[in-house]
Amino acid sequence: MATTEFSRHTHVPQSGSFGRDRITQWHPDDGRFWERTGRAVARRNLVCSIAIDHLGFCTWLLWSVTVWDLRSNGMVLSVGQTLWLTTIPNLVGAALRIPYTFAPARYGGRNWSVISAALLLVPWALFMYAASHPGLPYWALLPIAATAGVGGGIFASSMSNITHFYPADKQGLPLGLNAAGGNLGASVTQLTIPPLVLTVGLVNLGLVWMPLIIIAAVCAYVFMDNLASATSAYSLAELKRIGRERHTLIMSILYVGTFGSFIGYSFSFGVLTRIEFPDIRIAQFIWIGALVGAAARPLGGWLADRFGGARVTMIDFVLLAVGIVAVAVASRAQSWPWYLCAFLFVFAATGIGNGSTYKMIPAIFRARVQETGRPASMTARRNAAAAIGIVSAAGAVGGALIQQVFRVSLDASGSILPALAALAIFYLLCMALTWAYYLRKDRTGHNGVSLAEVGV
């Protein structure tokens, strides 16, 4: 594979590289390099990353799908305890997204992919132990459930790693595919676990996923790469600077509106449907929403590449507001077909928004670096990779917040309608925020760089 443009030099060792050298020449924004060498290497790394991200999501949602089966298996859990066992992995996954974001820069993208995949074995092994010991006290179940959060952390590291492999103007689709492969894990878990519980049993569920995790870790070891240009640990000052960046905060809010909605509805859709339509066999439908959202995410990335991330995102928030109002109307009318269609529309909109917002981040930080007059390519990629992790953590926390919005609404009024009204207003505020910062033509940076004119 060695050429004048691409090589793994044996005289440049990689600390902790498991005995393999890193790629020292990587220039994806060079069109000639990209066509001759870069595209194939990036695609190989993307495929492995998608597989690991997918298994991460399957692991992350493990407890949200199986906790009712644990109760049927002999565990005595109150409704409140059950809800906490589904929320804890969400919160832990959100918290882990920060350190996971910076792990590829510290250890190498390939190295961390192997490590993070191998860590997925832990929650599955512990779940099998818990399922086989129904007498475990509740306090022991909490840390066991918390380990599933490692599945949520993988998303951040895979996205920040893949960012370095693709040209700046072609990142929307691969980031969308990588994220969609992960998001699809939510649907796969919801679809496959109920029949698997009946066939292999709750205690043996891990025996289905653990071999797949081992295969994914081996593939990462064999086929993925460490990039020398992307392997440099972030300093504390650098992290503080990126975290305090105004656009990191803004994009975090917008991602709460898109991904926070996707993961929040994925966790809540089954429960809400049981409350609104108790006669519906929700197990037949619960997986469809996450599937639609995951499938729509690459479309959002493609649309963002074609029309600009900010334009697509702003329109998407309008669609989310319209969709959630439709859910409210269908709920009040007690129309199950319209309720399902409206919720699927909302899931599709969350997927499109997930793809378009992630396209915006590299473009924003590329424009910000241009404002300073510094060399744009590597600095922008590095800043964007860090921001992606922070933003993804905020989105995951947003999922937990949406769950709590529904809980408060039900406790206070016995209805989900106040929660839906609040969410519709939030989406419209996000639409206004997108326009104000990224589409208003007179908004410029310090050197007159307009974010509306640089492909954001």
Side-chain angles (χ1 to χ4, degrees):
M1 190 178 291
T3 70
T4 57
E5 296 173 312
F6 168 78
S7 61
R8 292 191 183 96
H9 292 293
T10 56
H11 64 277
V12 185
Q14 168 81 26
S15 174
S17 64
F18 305 148
R20 202 168 87 189
D21 300 307
R22 57 188 174 180
I23 296 174
T24 59
Q25 302 295 325
W26 187 252
H27 310 288
D29 292 308
D30 181 329
R32 181 168 172 266
F33 171 85
W34 177 250
E35 292 300 328
R36 288 183 59 182
T37 306
R39 186 194 303 272
V41 176
R43 187 175 297 161
R44 187 181 69 232
N45 280 267
L46 176 62
V47 170
C48 293
S49 180
I50 289 173
I52 294 172
D53 200 12
H54 177 86
L55 292 169
F57 264 81
C58 288
T59 304
W60 197 19
L61 267 74
L62 168 63
W63 281 80
S64 71
V65 181
T66 58
V67 69
W68 297 101
D69 295 300
L70 288 173
R71 294 179 65 176
S72 302
N73 198 43
M75 286 190 176
V76 180
L77 297 169
S78 68
V79 174
Q81 289 173 332
T82 300
L83 291 174
W84 269 112
L85 287 173
T86 64
T87 302
I88 286 292
N90 196 345
L91 295 175
V92 172
L96 287 178
R97 286 189 170 192
I98 299 296
Y100 267 58
T101 294
F102 308 119
R106 175 66 179 85
Y107 302 106
R110 167 182 168 268
N111 300 345
W112 185 251
S113 295
V114 175
I115 295 169
S116 60
L119 286 174
L120 294 177
L121 296 170
V122 175
W124 286 101
L126 290 177
F127 174 81
M128 289 194 299
Y129 176 81
S132 62
H133 294 78
L136 281 177
Y138 174 67
W139 63 263
L141 293 177
L142 287 174
I144 291 176
T147 63
V150 299
I154 284 180
F155 177 85
S157 57
S158 68
M159 294 293 277
S160 64
N161 181 50
I162 288 300
T163 298
H164 293 283
F165 281 92
Y166 281 85
D169 62 347
K170 293 182 174 66
Q171 291 178 347
L173 182 58
L175 286 176
L177 288 172
N178 188 66
N183 295 170
L184 189 61
S187 179
V188 168
T189 304
Q190 293 169 334
L191 174 64
T192 59
I193 281 185
L196 283 173
V197 169
L198 296 177
T199 54
V200 303
L202 194 65
V203 175
N204 297 318
L205 273 182
L207 299 180
V208 177
W209 266 271
M210 292 171 78
L212 300 176
I213 292 169
I214 293 171
I215 292 171
V218 171
C219 288
Y221 175 80
V222 174
F223 297 112
M224 293 188 75
D225 300 283
N226 297 317
L227 297 180
S229 58
T231 310
S232 177
Y234 290 84
S235 67
L236 182 59
E238 193 175 12
L239 297 181
K240 288 182 178 179
R241 175 181 59 78
I242 296 169
R244 292 171 179 170
E245 167 68 51
R246 176 180 55 190
H247 294 286
T248 303
L249 174 60
I250 295 170
M251 291 307 302
S252 295
I253 295 172
L254 299 185
Y255 201 57
V256 166
T258 57
F259 181 77
S261 295
F262 171 80
I263 200 66
Y265 297 146
S266 294
F267 276 97
S268 304
F269 178 59
V271 175
L272 297 179
T273 302
R274 284 191 181 97
I275 294 171
E276 295 295 303
F277 301 92
D279 296 331
I280 297 296
R281 296 181 61 184
I282 189 57
Q284 298 178 359
F285 303 97
I286 191 173
W287 56 275
I288 302 177
L291 175 64
V292 170
R297 185 157 188 161
L299 174 61
W302 179 82
L303 289 172
D305 281 340
R306 186 172 178 84
F307 301 108
R311 293 182 183 88
V312 176
T313 299
M314 186 184 75
I315 295 171
D316 188 72
F317 279 121
V318 176
L319 297 178
L320 279 168
V322 171
I324 214 70
V325 169
V327 171
V329 172
S331 173
R332 191 164 187 176
Q334 282 296 287
S335 172
W336 163 245
W338 284 110
Y339 177 88
L340 177 62
C341 290
F343 238 127
L344 293 181
F345 180 86
V346 170
F347 269 108
T350 65
I352 293 172
N354 288 339
S356 62
T357 50
Y358 257 62
K359 166 63 178 178
M360 291 173 65
I361 297 172
I364 289 168
F365 281 89
R366 186 167 65 252
R368 292 289 288 158
V369 170
Q370 289 171 357
E371 291 176 15
T372 67
R374 298 194 301 269
S377 180
M378 290 313 303
T379 303
R381 287 177 183 278
R382 185 172 173 82
N383 290 350
I388 279 174
I390 297 170
V391 170
S392 72
V397 172
L401 291 176
I402 285 177
Q403 289 176 278
Q404 294 305 308
V405 167
F406 282 116
R407 183 189 63 80
V408 171
S409 177
L410 288 166
D411 287 346
S413 68
S415 169
I416 65 172
L417 294 180
L420 295 174
L423 288 166
I425 293 171
F426 173 64
Y427 294 141
L428 293 177
L429 291 175
C430 288
M431 177 205 69
L433 191 63
T434 305
W435 174 83
Y437 277 91
Y438 303 121
L439 289 172
R440 202 174 69 190
K441 293 294 185 181
D442 61 343
R443 190 171 191 89
T444 59
H446 299 113
N447 291 344
V449 178
S450 173
L451 293 174
E453 296 173 355
V454 295
V456 173

